[in-house]
Amino acid sequence: MATYVSTPKLSSPTLQTLCNYKFPMSSITLSHCNKLPIFGNFTSFSPNPGRICSRRFNAAVRAESTNGSEPVRNYDFDLFTIGAGSGGVRASRFAANYGASVAVCELPFATISSDTTGGVGGTCVLRGCVPKKLLVYASKYSHEFEDSHGFGWNYGADPKHDWSTLIANKNAELQGLTGVIKNILKNAGVTLIEGHGKIVDGHTVDVDGKRYSAKNILISVGGRPYIPGSEYAIDSDAALDLPSKPKKIAIVGGGYIAKKVLRGFDEEVRDFVGEQMSLRGIEFHTEELPQAILKSSDGSLSLKTNKGTVDGFSHVMFATGRAPNKRAVPSAVFSQPPIGQVGFTEEQAIKEFGNVDVYTGNFRPLKGTLSGLPDRAFMKLIVCAKTNKVVGLHICGEDAPEIIQGFAVAVKAGLTKADFDSTVGIHPTAAEEIVTMRAPVRKVRSTTSEGKANSEIKAAAGV
Ligand SMILES: Cc1cc2nc3c(=O)[nH]c(=O)nc-3n(C[C@H](O)[C@H](O)[C@H](O)COP(=O)(O)OP(=O)(O)OC[C@H]3O[C@@H](n4cnc5c(N)ncnc54)[C@H](O)[C@@H]3O)c2cc1C
């Protein structure tokens, strides 16, 4: 009997790490990708991995190698991947480039995922990173229009936004990207099969009634948003594809901002972004537990929490956060203002190194001088006092994700504060602040080597 591959709820076993992994020369094992169930061994497909082998697809029949004890088996494919999201596409392409015969199956395209719909490109392209950023770009114009008045711009009438144009253009772009990825798979020699994949046994996949055999099966089905039991709430899929602009939205979970969810972010950065968002009309209800969503006779929604009821919402959205990696892996939050970070938070650095020097800059960007808006930028450098290495960099403000991507190279390379200091700042930019911070705002000195106890924080001036 066929076993259904059910999509795990909430967290996504993304294959991003696998994607960036360089397969070793002799044999490949996917065991480092600990969340992925792999059937059989994923062995090297080419004696010369540097060479792109000729493509063998369209059900090339392969014989399983044997040490003599097992019977020889023929398979339709070396690798059958279920799910063509970021992970599945990348793994399939790489395997094909190493000479494997590869097939990948994916559900039919839709902007909202379900048990029967998905689409080549997966969450990132269709319901995550890409549509989210397109909507963030769209929303930024309203601030730009406001900003522009101080620079002498006047409009005959207030600029109007047409939500349906935005959503139609966004969806056309997503369709286009799906087409691009299909071509990439085709050019890599990967056979794409549309349909719902089910594992029949360790070497057989059923796609809508048709069976394929494979030496290896890779499950790369990602995750789907999960709403804990309210018919009135929407998830991130729906939020990125609303037919009309939400008038007032409650976000349960608060993503990176809610203190509990934003665990991996520097506390000062969380406070700063919270303040900046409050200036733009976002109200935070921290330390409140949602209990029920109620619908009034006028159709508006109320959110009942353990501390009271907040009403008048057109939408209530459930959001979950992702914890960023504290090692030198950069990450960004495309909020407004956006956050970019790489390395340790101050709290983590103290725990790890004991003695750290902290440099911060909190300033009004040049643009704000004429626009008159209260927006500020915040930058923070965390330096290991013993080695002088920059072990953490956090930015909150315009272009933070773009800036952090470049500086992440320096942090990953283990550059020191002295290296930063000797780098010439480009003036006038916001990022020049990072190479011109001269005096620490505090030097944290721990009396224990682990830095876990008796942390003594001295004002920089007094040290
Ligand atoms: C709103 C949102 C914003 C995000 N923003 C960012 C960001 O800015 N930066 C970032 O790095 N990450 C971001 N992410 C996370 C990123 O999108 C995911 O980490 C990534 O898409 C996971 O890739 P995946 O291949 O593991 O899974 P997915 O992309 O979910 O792919 C799994 C695929 O498997 C298909 N599938 C499932 N079951 C079957 C089946 N039985 N048969 C056939 N096909 C099946 C699905 O249809 C889907 O296409 C965001 C996520 C969300 C939800």
Side-chain angles (χ1 to χ4, degrees), residues 5 7 12-16 82-88 105-107 117-125 127-129 132 195-198 220-223 236-237 240 322 332 334:
V5 181
T7 38
S12 155
T14 178
L15 278 174
Q16 305 270 25
I82 302 176
S86 314
C105 72
E106 175 56 61
L107 298 165
T117 56
V120 171
T123 306
C124 170
V125 174
R127 292 169 290 276
C129 327
K132 174 203 62 190
H196 187 277
K198 289 175 251 173
S220 184
V221 294
S236 62
D237 280 14
L240 293 171
R322 294 181 303 140
F334 296 93

Side-chain angles (χ1 to χ4, degrees), residues 21-244:
Y21 181 73
K22 286 205 173 70
F23 294 145
M25 298 289 276
S26 54
S27 78
I28 306 167
T29 131
L30 297 184
S31 57
H32 66 282
C33 209
N34 57 10
K35 285 189 185 163
L36 283 171
I38 306 288
F39 294 85
N41 291 320
F42 194 84
T43 45
S44 177
F45 302 107
S46 161
N48 177 3
R51 182 172 62 93
I52 307 291
C53 296
S54 61
R55 317 270 181 249
R56 280 156 293 203
F57 56 104
N58 286 340
V61 177
R62 289 294 186 93
E64 185 179 18
S65 64
T66 163
N67 58 12
S69 58
E70 286 175 36
V72 171
R73 258 194 85 174
N74 293 326
Y75 297 108
D76 297 334
F77 297 100
D78 292 319
L79 174 69
F80 197 106
T81 305
I82 302 176
S86 314
V89 167
R90 188 87 166 178
S92 301
R93 273 178 65 201
F94 270 57
N97 283 342
Y98 275 90
S101 64
V102 184
V104 58
C105 72
E106 175 56 61
L107 298 165
F109 174 92
T111 47
I112 308 273
S113 63
S114 70
D115 283 344
T116 53
T117 56
V120 171
T123 306
C124 170
V125 174
L126 304 178
R127 292 169 290 276
C129 327
V130 174
K132 174 203 62 190
K133 191 130 190 230
L134 293 176
L135 295 201
V136 169
Y137 280 134
S139 71
K140 278 176 78 171
Y141 285 99
S142 71
H143 304 295
E144 297 285 322
F145 287 131
E146 258 183 85
D147 284 358
S148 68
H149 296 310
F151 292 89
W153 287 97
N154 268 308
Y155 311 94
D158 279 346
K160 292 267 176 298
H161 184 256
D162 181 24
W163 183 265
S164 53
T165 301
L166 168 65
I167 298 300
N169 288 348
K170 184 250 323 172
N171 288 343
E173 178 60 22
L174 302 187
Q175 286 269 18
L177 286 174
T178 290
V180 169
I181 298 167
K182 282 182 180 171
N183 267 337
I184 289 172
L185 286 171
K186 193 174 162 202
N187 293 339
V190 176
T191 304
L192 175 64
I193 301 162
E194 187 172 274
H196 187 277
K198 289 175 251 173
I199 291 177
V200 177
D201 62 38
H203 292 286
T204 314
V205 178
D206 174 304
V207 184
D208 293 346
K210 190 160 181 213
R211 291 191 173 190
Y212 303 88
S213 65
K215 188 174 176 192
N216 304 282
I217 299 171
L218 174 63
I219 303 175
S220 184
V221 294
R224 285 228 316 271
Y226 167 67
I227 296 182
S230 173
E231 58 186 302
Y232 300 128
I234 57 169
D235 59 26
S236 62
D237 280 14
L240 293 171
D241 203 36
L242 289 174
S244 59

Side-chain angles (χ1 to χ4, degrees), residues 351-379:
K351 217 169 156 196
E352 184 83 14
F353 305 107
N355 298 341
V356 298
D357 296 343
V358 179
Y359 299 76
T360 63
N362 182 333
F363 57 95
R364 192 176 191 194
L366 183 61
K367 192 177 172 190
T369 54
L370 294 198
S371 70
L373 292 176
D375 300 8
R376 298 185 70 80
F378 178 75
M379 297 188 181

